[in-house]
Amino acid sequence: MLIGFFLDEYVSSKSGSVGIVAAQSAHFDAPLELKSGAVVPAYDLVYETYGTLNAAKSNAILVCHALSGHHHIAGTYADNPKSLGWWDNLVGPGRPLDTERFFIVGVNNLGGCHGSTGPSSPNPASGKPWGADFPVVTVEDWVQAQARLADYLGIDSWAAVIGGSLGGMQALQWAIDLPRRIRHALVIAAAPKLTAQNIAFNDVARQAILTDPDFHGGHFYQHQTTPKRGLRLARMLGHITYLSDNQMGKKFGRELRNTDGGFSFGYGVEFEIESYLRAQGDKFADVFDANTYLLMTKSLDYFDPAHRHNDDLALALKPALAKFLVISFTTDWRFAPSRSREIVNALLKNDQDVSYAEISSNFGHDSFLLAEPQYHAVLSAYLGRVKL
Amino acid sequence: MSQMLDRPDFGVIAGWVKRGERVLDLGCGDGALLKLLIETRGVRGYGVDIDDANVLAAIANGINVIQSNLDAGLAGFVDGAFDHVVLSRTLQTVRHTQEVLGAMLRVGREAVVSFPNFGYWKNRAAVLNGRMPVSEDLPYQWYDTPNVRFFTMLDFEDLCARMNILVRERQVLDEQGRLVTEEHNFLGSLAVYRITRS
C-alpha cells in the first residue's frame, strides 16, 4: 500500500540515537529588554547541539521547548544512562530531525530552571535567588534571546524552527518577528492564543502554587523549602489536559490499586489514575522550579500575536517569509485541531506557503512527543525537502 | 510527463491554466497535478486532501497541502482567492454536490471539474447486461467504490443550468485518453469542464 511505501521510506530502519551528549552554556552581557519593560542585565543560556553545522551555516534547526521542557532534547548524558532527551525519538541519524543532515540546537529558555538564567538563579543586585523578582518573560522575549544564541553560534538564518505546544508558539513568533532569520516554521499542537478555558486551567495551576504556604511569595529558596504541594497539584492538573479521555480510559479505566477489588471507603490512593497522577506530580515537584512554572504559564496566557493587529491573525502573520508546516492531533483537546486551523487559515488568507497535517492519534496533546508513524513520516518528508 | 500519461485529464486542465495563476486543487492526491502546473505553468497554489497517505505524498512532492475534507477545506479560503479551483475525478465522491460546486465558484474565478461519465457506452452496456460498470475511469467494484453520486454529462449540465453556472468549455476523453469529438455523452469516458458563475 502507498502508506506503507512512504512510511518505509521516511521512517528509516537505520535510524538511531545521537548517543552521549553534553550541555553547553553561553553567557550574554548585553542587557535584554523584555516586553514588560523590565531588563535582564546579563544572562546565561544552556543549550545542546547535535550534528554538524555546515560551512554555509545553512543547516541549523532550532528546537523550542514547551512548558516543562529544556535544552536536553536527545541522547543521554555520560554519567546517567536514564537521562534520555525529551524529544529523542525525533532527533538522530535517520530520524526526522536527521543529524546526518541538520545541525540541531536545543536551548533552555530564559526563565527556565535547567541551567539558563531564571528565578532560581542569583540576582546580581542582591546575590540571592531572583525568586518572584524575576521578570515575566514572554514568547517574544524568548525569540529575542534565542536570536542572540543564534548570533553566538554564527547562525544567520535557521533552516527551520520547530516546536510543539508553547514551543510551536515560539516558532510562529520567530516567523513574525525575525522573518529573514527563519526559512521554515514547524508549528505543532499549538494555538494562535489561549482560550478562556486554557487560561482558566493555567490559573488554577498558579493558584495551587501561590497559595502553598511553602511558596513564601516566591522567595522560598531563602526558607530552604519548595512549594512542592502546589507544584504537584499544578502538574497533576496540567497532566490531565495533556491526555485524551479515551487514552486515560484505556490505560487506567476504573482499575483499583487494591487487587481484591473492594473500595476502601476512604480518601487514600485508590484508583490507578490517582496513583498515576500523584506519581507524575511528585516526580515533577521534585525537579521543577515553582517560579518557572508560574512564568511559563503566564507566558502562554500572554501569547497572542494578533492582539496588536486588531485581533487579525492574518495581519500579524503577514511579515512572515518562512514556509510553514502546521500539525495537529485529532484527540488533542488542550490545543485542538481547530486551533491549528486558525493558524492555517490566516496563512492561506495571506497566500503564504503552508502545509497542514491532522494526525490521527489517541494520545491527546502529548501526541506531539510520541512517535506516531504518520506524524514522523510527515516531518521527515517535509524536512527532507528543506533546501540547505 | 508520466503524470500526463497516467492522468489524461491533467493535460486538458494544464491547457486551461495560464502562467502564474493561483490554483486550488481539491482532492489533490499526491500533488502530481499541482506539481505539473508549478513546473510547467509557474502557478502558485494549494492542494486539499483528507487521506493520510496522499497528504504525506504531497508533502514529499513539495506541494502545499491542507489535510481536510472538502467542506472544511474550502471554508478556510477567502472569496475569489484563486484563478482556478480544480476538482479532478472527485465530484462523484462528494455527497454535498451543490454546496461543493458553489464553494468552488466562491473561492475561485473559474472551476475545473473532471468526472467519469456514467453515460459512456460501455457503462450503459454493463448496466444493460445487468452489471454495474467497471472501467478505466470507474475502476471500482460496487462494494468498495468511493463514488456516491452517479451522473452523466447531460445530468451535470442540467445541474449547472439550474445553479446558474456557465459551462465555458468542455473536453471529453475516451478510455485511452484520446479526445472525443462527437457523441460526447455516449463515447466519452471522462469529462472535463471549465465552469464559471454566469
Side-chain angles (χ1 to χ4, degrees):
Chain A
M1 293 305 289
L2 193 59
I3 183 86
F5 167 74
F6 278 104
L7 289 179
D8 288 348
E9 190 174 356
Y10 291 105
V11 183
S12 164
S13 56
K14 287 184 226 101
S15 66
S17 165
V18 294
I20 301 296
V21 300
Q24 301 173 75
S25 185
H27 181 73
F28 298 88
D29 269 327
L32 186 72
E33 186 173 342
L34 305 177
K35 193 184 177 187
S36 65
V39 175
V40 181
Y43 55 95
D44 296 306
L45 293 177
V46 291
Y47 65 97
E48 286 180 15
T49 71
Y50 323 102
T52 310
L53 188 61
N54 64 11
K57 299 184 174 180
S58 63
N59 68 333
I61 295 180
L62 174 67
V63 179
C64 301
H65 68 76
L67 204 155
S68 60
H70 43 70
H71 55 289
H72 180 45
I73 300 160
T76 49
Y77 295 135
D79 60 355
N80 182 4
K82 283 186 177 169
S83 60
L84 194 65
W86 59 269
W87 223 354
D88 185 81
N89 61 32
L90 206 66
V91 182
R95 290 183 181 169
L97 296 183
D98 189 347
T99 47
E100 306 269 282
R101 189 159 178 256
F102 294 110
F103 177 66
I104 316 292
V105 178
V107 59
N108 184 213
N109 277 330
L110 193 64
C113 56
H114 292 87
S116 291
T117 299
S120 52
S121 312
N123 180 347
S126 65
K128 292 177 184 163
W130 280 91
D133 297 331
F134 195 83
V136 171
V137 184
T138 64
V139 170
E140 292 98 312
D141 300 329
W142 283 332
V143 168
Q144 293 309 319
Q146 290 160 357
R148 290 195 183 175
L149 180 65
D151 294 341
Y152 174 89
L153 296 170
I155 296 160
D156 284 337
S157 121
W158 299 103
V161 177
I162 178 173
S165 193
L166 179 57
M169 293 171 177
Q170 291 160 59
L172 204 60
Q173 195 71 49
W174 259 96
I176 294 169
D177 288 352
L178 297 165
R180 296 190 183 282
R181 303 196 68 177
I182 163 175
R183 304 200 298 280
H184 295 269
L186 281 67
V187 181
I188 304 166
K193 64 183 171 200
L194 265 59
T195 60
Q197 188 194 48
N198 294 148
I199 295 171
F201 275 118
N202 280 347
D203 194 48
V204 175
R206 281 191 295 266
Q207 287 300 317
I209 293 168
L210 293 166
T211 57
D212 185 327
D214 287 332
F215 184 61
H216 298 288
H219 294 290
F220 50 87
Y221 316 95
Q222 281 104 298
H223 295 81
Q224 282 79 49
T225 184
T226 54
K228 273 193 185 179
R229 285 166 293 180
L231 194 53
R232 176 173 176 266
L233 280 177
R235 181 59 168 183
M236 287 169 75
L237 178 71
H239 206 86
I240 297 168
T241 70
Y242 304 150
L243 309 180
S244 76
D245 187 16
N246 187 283
Q247 165 199 12
M248 262 200 199
K250 275 192 174 161
K251 194 167 173 185
F252 305 104
R254 294 179 52 83
E255 291 301 310
L256 298 173
R257 297 207 71 204
N258 178 359
T259 46
D260 67 25
F263 290 156
S264 64
F265 299 98
Y267 302 107
V269 181
E270 198 161 13
F271 290 94
E272 283 291 355
I273 182 63
E274 296 174 323
S275 163
Y276 171 79
L277 274 183
R278 290 178 198 200
Q280 290 291 324
D282 287 337
K283 203 168 75 181
F284 188 75
D286 279 343
V287 296
F288 209 81
D289 179 79
N291 283 312
T292 290
Y293 200 87
L294 294 175
L295 182 154
M296 294 280 171
T297 59
K298 208 66 192 175
S299 181
L300 269 165
D301 292 0
Y302 286 155
F303 180 71
D304 182 6
H307 181 67
R308 62 192 171 94
H309 298 278
N310 262 338
D311 293 321
D312 183 344
L313 185 60
L315 204 57
L317 282 164
K318 211 142 212 175
L321 299 169
K323 295 174 192 282
F324 287 80
L325 174 64
V326 179
I327 296 178
S328 71
F329 300 91
T330 49
T331 53
D332 182 352
W333 58 278
R334 189 174 172 110
F335 296 139
S338 58
R339 309 305 317 282
S340 284
R341 279 305 302 252
E342 292 174 34
I343 299 168
V344 171
N345 289 351
L347 293 165
L348 292 176
K349 197 174 171 194
N350 290 340
D351 194 20
Q352 286 161 309
D353 283 307
V354 55
S355 281
Y356 169 64
E358 195 172 303
I359 308 294
S360 296
S361 168
N362 195 30
F363 301 102
H365 188 59
D366 264 356
S367 299
F368 85 87
L369 295 168
L370 306 175
E372 180 70 37
Q374 169 77 4
Y375 168 43
H376 276 201
V378 163
L379 286 175
S380 289
Y382 187 88
L383 288 169
R385 295 195 57 95
V386 167
K387 292 190 184 76
L388 302 184
Chain B
M1 298 249 176
S2 64
Q3 299 111 324
M4 286 178 79
L5 292 177
D6 294 348
R7 298 285 301 266
D9 54 331
F10 284 8
V12 174
I13 295 166
W16 290 339
V17 172
K18 293 194 185 67
R19 179 152 284 282
E21 281 193 350
R22 296 172 36 76
V23 176
L24 177 65
D25 186 1
L26 302 174
C28 67
D30 65 1
L33 174 64
L34 268 176
K35 197 177 180 195
L36 176 78
L37 294 175
I38 289 165
E39 284 167 2
T40 63
R41 297 280 189 280
V43 305
R44 267 193 61 73
Y46 304 93
V48 174
D49 210 292
I50 187 67
D51 179 71
D52 277 354
N54 286 340
V55 169
L56 177 55
I59 287 173
N61 267 327
I63 299 300
N64 287 326
V65 60
I66 309 300
Q67 184 161 26
S68 175
N69 64 34
L70 290 188
D71 298 327
L74 281 161
F77 293 100
V78 297
D79 293 3
F82 297 96
D83 298 298
H84 278 106
V85 181
V86 177
L87 188 66
S88 172
R89 300 183 195 230
T90 304
L91 190 64
Q92 76 281 359
T93 68
V94 171
R95 193 162 292 278
H96 305 287
T97 314
Q98 296 187 67
E99 285 81 352
V100 166
L101 287 173
M104 287 174 77
L105 290 171
R106 175 183 70 77
V107 302
R109 185 171 54 78
E110 212 171 79
V112 175
V113 179
S114 74
F115 57 85
N117 176 28
F118 282 80
Y120 179 49
W121 70 270
K122 281 194 187 171
N123 299 339
R124 299 188 199 194
V127 175
L128 267 181
N129 286 327
R131 295 283 185 178
M132 284 304 283
V134 177
S135 69
E136 183 71 25
D137 293 308
L138 286 172
Y140 303 98
Q141 296 293 335
W142 65 273
Y143 49 81
D144 66 3
T145 181
N147 301 333
V148 297
R149 297 284 184 234
F150 306 92
F151 54 101
T152 70
M153 288 176 59
L154 290 178
D155 295 328
F156 179 72
E157 288 172 20
D158 271 358
L159 178 64
C160 287
R162 201 171 313 133
M163 291 181 69
N164 286 320
I165 290 170
L166 188 74
V167 174
R168 292 276 308 267
E169 203 173 337
R170 68 170 195 207
Q171 297 265 17
V172 183
L173 306 169
D174 66 15
E175 273 188 283
Q176 282 69 45
R178 290 175 307 222
L179 214 57
V180 173
T181 54
E182 55 181 357
E183 296 294 339
H184 298 93
N185 195 39
F186 190 72
L187 298 176
S189 174
L190 186 72
V192 196
Y193 281 80
R194 232 176 117 183
I195 57 175
T196 184
R197 281 263 166 233
S198 58

